Amino acid sequence: MEGGAYMNKGEIQAMAFQLIGYAGDAFSWYFKAIAEARKGNYEEAEASIAEGRKSMVEAHNTQNDLLAGEAEGEDMVYSILMVHAQDHLTMALMYERLAQEFVSVYQELHALRRERVNE
């Protein structure tokens, strides 16, 4: 991209929809991971987290394209849709961390329950 180029509102919105889609997919996978861990299905939980991370890679690639364009001097129009997309991305990042923690907590909880039953 040449310095001083302009990304129009339609291009910004298209990238925002990509971010929303990828982040939404990741969030869904992380939510599924917690549900699987609750049931004691830890392999499925870990697989869901791995799938979520694939979606996050795509989201980060889209975000990096935006950041690179701005760093190269490309003007970006303000878009509330992009703000919304960035919010989705942030929430998916946080939910990934929570999903990992919940999987660990459920593993410990289930192990403690097994110990109590075997006492």
Side-chain angles (χ1 to χ4, degrees), residues 2 22 37-38 67 71 77 85 87 92-93 98-99 104:
E2 275 185 42
Y22 292 132
R38 183 181 305 117
L67 294 171
V77 297
D87 183 48
L93 285 167
L98 287 173
S104 295

Side-chain angles (χ1 to χ4, degrees), residues 17-55:
F17 281 121
Q18 286 180 339
L19 278 174
I20 291 167
Y22 292 132
D25 286 347
F27 188 92
S28 294
W29 282 112
Y30 300 143
F31 192 84
K32 182 179 182 210
I34 293 171
E36 292 297 337
R38 183 181 305 117
K39 295 184 282 186
N41 300 330
Y42 304 116
E43 287 183 21
E44 289 89 345
E46 293 297 335
S48 293
I49 288 173
E51 288 299 318
R53 286 182 179 145
K54 289 178 187 176
S55 293

